Amino acid sequence: MLQGGEFKDWTEQFVAPTDVTEQNDPGYKFRMAEGQKALERSAAAKGGILSGGTAKAINQWSQDYASNEYQNVYNRAFNEFSNRYNIF
């Protein structure tokens, strides 16, 4: 903390995660794949796996899930940054 007898300044800046950060998260990949499989299996059981409605449902679910999950990734990154700042 001391540099040359003086406290050094906090210089780190928060950098928000990108969509690539979110997509590379192992938990995200797993949950996304499992959700898509569940929708596909449900549609297959009803005989509509190849319907436009199934594609639309999968697309809507994926977008909603990605949006919600990005908020979680952002919050984790910000909390880690805040912890580093508080330790400083």
Side-chain angles (χ1 to χ4, degrees):
M1 294 253 188
L2 289 176
Q3 187 173 23
E6 296 181 17
F7 287 103
K8 60 182 181 175
D9 293 330
W10 174 262
T11 57
E12 183 180 350
Q13 294 183 355
F14 176 70
V15 178
T18 65
D19 60 334
V20 175
T21 306
E22 173 187 27
Q23 292 169 5
N24 287 331
D25 181 69
Y28 171 83
K29 288 180 182 180
F30 174 77
R31 290 185 298 272
M32 179 67 83
E34 291 300 305
Q36 184 172 344
K37 281 191 243 178
L39 288 169
E40 290 170 350
R41 289 177 182 150
S42 174
K46 297 173 188 172
I49 187 71
L50 300 177
S51 74
T54 300
K56 184 178 177 182
I58 290 171
N59 185 47
Q60 183 65 48
W61 181 85
S62 297
Q63 289 180 7
D64 290 346
Y65 178 74
S67 177
N68 291 335
E69 187 61 21
Y70 179 78
Q71 187 64 49
N72 294 336
V73 170
Y74 182 93
N75 288 342
R76 281 194 302 271
F78 186 75
N79 287 337
E80 290 171 6
F81 171 81
S82 295
N83 287 339
R84 288 192 304 275
Y85 178 77
N86 289 334
I87 290 170
F88 173 79

